[in-house]
Amino acid sequence: QKEVEQNSGPLSVPEGAIASLNCTYSDRGSQSFFWYRQYSGKSPELIMSIYSNGDKEDGRFTAQLNKASQYVSLLIRDSQPSDSATYLCAGYAGNMLTFGGGTRLMVKP
Amino acid sequence: GAGVSQSPRYKVAKRGQDVALRCDPISGHVSLFWYQQALGQGPEFLTYFQNEAQLDKSGLPSDRFFAERPEGSVSTLKIQRTQQEDSAVYLCASSLEVLGNYGYTFGSGTRLTVV
């Protein structure tokens, strides 16, 4: 079992809707969490980080962390076709980021 | 430099050939990481450097894989006697902070195809 788990998708949402991406992790020593966006054939790009329980908002993106439930999520409001990509969840522990397998998001016009 | 630079962008190697992949991190970044990303998968940790010291190499899949960062800046990942299962994108990332707890900046990666 991977230490960071994500549903591989694809998650399909209509343009303008809210996309909800979820991630669970097994290492309770994980100190912080990150969401990366990866377009096909490109490298991962950091879009959100979250370090404490609760919500963190940045523009159309909201990251949520619940350490008791070992759960991280990313909400994308007003989804755009340009948001179509694979979203990678990562937890930081032991000097490294451990990534999930990614969720492919498709936003349909 | 402005970003993490990796070369070559693409490499095709015949099985059994040795390859060397280069990473030039952002100037002044202390931490440097190598990851391997197979098609359709998330990146998998290979190794971590703090300056020139290789502090963690637990992710290297076999003794055919070797990484170095002799002067604490440019790093090279070497794969000896390449096998088909080594085909993947090799990503390098760097971080200003020692622990890299604030996320990494990734390079564009090297896509290795072993034929």
Side-chain angles (χ1 to χ4, degrees), chain A residues 23-98:
Chain A
C23 168
T24 58
Y25 63 94
S26 59
D27 185 354
R28 287 193 175 273
S30 297
Q31 303 160 3
S32 49
F33 298 87
F34 303 87
W35 284 97
Y36 283 80
R37 177 176 62 199
Q38 187 172 31
Y39 292 113
S40 181
K42 302 296 185 182
S43 61
E45 172 193 11
L46 179 64
I47 55 172
M48 286 289 287
S49 59
I50 187 164
Y51 304 98
S52 56
N53 281 328
D55 296 0
K56 178 182 177 182
E57 185 175 321
D58 184 1
R60 295 187 297 113
F61 298 98
T62 297
Q64 300 174 318
L65 172 60
N66 184 325
K67 289 188 176 182
S69 300
Q70 296 176 252
Y71 180 88
V72 192
S73 65
L74 178 71
L75 301 178
I76 306 175
R77 289 180 299 281
D78 188 24
S79 295
Q80 301 297 310
S82 59
D83 294 327
S84 298
T86 295
Y87 289 80
L88 298 162
C89 172
Y92 179 77
N95 294 329
M96 72 179 78
L97 284 184
T98 298

Side-chain angles (χ1 to χ4, degrees), chain B residues 62-82:
Chain B
S62 77
D63 58 8
R64 297 186 295 104
F65 287 71
F66 172 77
E68 60 183 3
R69 193 186 185 198
E71 297 178 357
S73 55
V74 172
S75 177
T76 303
L77 176 66
K78 298 179 179 179
I79 309 173
Q80 297 177 322
R81 305 181 304 281
T82 52

